[in-house]
Amino acid sequence: MSAIGISGLSKTYRGGTRALDRVSLTVEAGEMVALIGASGSGKSTLIRHISGLVPADKNSGSCKIVVDGAIVQEGGRISRNIATARTDIGVIFQQFNLVPRLSVLNNVLAGLLGRMPVLRGVLGLFRKEESQLAMQALDRVGIAHTARQRASTLSGGQQQRAAIARTLVQGARVILADEPIASLDPASAKRVMGILSQINKEDGITVLVSLHQVEYARRYCKRTIAMRDGQVVFDGPSRELTTQFLRDIYGEASEELVLPDADDFGTEPMTATA
Ligand SMILES: Nc1ncnc2c1ncn2[C@@H]1O[C@H](COP(=O)(O)OP(=O)(O)OP(=O)(O)O)[C@@H](O)[C@H]1O
């Protein structure tokens, strides 16, 4: 079974911008796939559609998005069972989306809210084994020692690692990461990508990660989907994305996608504890 299936997805925003234009693609369970493209090419819009946050155009009648076997949206309508479908989808954003005044542990425990009775969740009545699960997740991403701190006291890289721990506690089978390293320094960015790669390999969690820099795609993802003006213009092995090929696809905008110091990128992927 595919982890993500998209057919005939188009999106025109109010004001007329056609952000997605007949996008169809499939991501198999257990893949880690990069989504690249210059600013405004439609990466965020695509991820927001897959997570069921935004409905596709209604007049693109045949559009359908399925994640882990559950219909997220069809024919421009979000599925009635979206709450159930979302329990399998972990979303990670560029700006971390933690609650700053809550402890790191409680932020991670929030990953359980979709799977527990509303009242217990609202009152924050988490069981001991749930807290243990959250501590294990924090340990996996290398920041168990920060569990009692307020989320606002963490560095950007640590906050992103807490956000990943939250998806682990959630039990997500598919992680959609929307530019998760765009606000991070290079060392933190490598660590975050290393953790995503690790949980992809060890837990078989499918990862779709949008990235600005193609070096990260080449290093961490076997497959890359490249977008331009709302369309998929490349879908294949990341190693085929040479600088020249990017120039052919994007012209001058390709400079946005290649790190100026690409040669210093290093050779070893970083892990959680590195
Ligand atoms: N809510 C919105 N209303 C109107 N237009 C929008 C909205 N969100 C995005 N757009 C437009 O849709 C197009 C695609 O935007 P999107 O954010 O998906 O691109 P992106 O590839 O993620 O860009 P970036 O790398 O800068 O985040 C852009 O032209 C953008 O201006």
Side-chain angles (χ1 to χ4, degrees), residues 180-273:
I181 58 170
S183 306
L184 305 182
D185 61 83
S188 302
K190 286 177 191 170
R191 202 163 283 138
V192 163
M193 287 303 292
I195 291 167
L196 287 174
S197 168
Q198 197 175 333
I199 61 177
N200 163 256
K201 289 197 181 98
E202 291 176 2
D203 302 13
I205 294 173
T206 308
V207 178
L208 179 65
V209 52
S210 77
L211 298 165
H212 245 101
Q213 264 90 34
V214 74
E215 278 78 14
Y216 289 97
R218 283 196 207 113
R219 175 193 283 225
Y220 293 97
C221 307
K222 277 197 193 130
R223 173 182 167 200
T224 294
I225 295 169
M227 300 191 65
R228 188 188 59 202
D229 299 335
Q231 293 185 332
V232 172
V233 289
F234 172 85
D235 182 352
S238 305
R239 62 184 145 71
E240 288 182 9
L241 288 167
T242 59
T243 306
Q244 185 54 50
F245 187 73
L246 288 169
R247 259 188 219 124
D248 293 346
I249 301 180
Y250 292 110
E252 275 185 17
S254 67
E255 283 164 31
E256 209 187 300
L257 302 170
V258 180
L259 286 174
D261 55 353
D263 291 343
D264 300 334
F265 202 69
T267 50
E268 289 303 311
M270 271 180 156
T271 57
T273 48

Side-chain angles (χ1 to χ4, degrees), residues 13 17 19 38-45 179 212:
Y13 284 112
T17 304
S39 195
S41 57
K43 305 180 295 295
S44 296
T45 301
E179 303 215 18
H212 245 101

Side-chain angles (χ1 to χ4, degrees), residues 132-145 161-162 164-165 167-169 173 191 194-205 271-274:
Q132 282 169 348
L133 191 70
M135 284 306 298
Q136 281 165 11
L138 282 169
D139 193 38
R140 277 191 81 185
V141 301
I143 55 166
H145 60 286
R161 290 199 257 169
I164 296 172
T167 66
L168 289 174
V169 163
R173 297 307 306 155
R191 202 163 283 138
I195 291 167
L196 287 174
S197 168
Q198 197 175 333
I199 61 177
N200 163 256
K201 289 197 181 98
E202 291 176 2
D203 302 13
I205 294 173
T271 57
T273 48

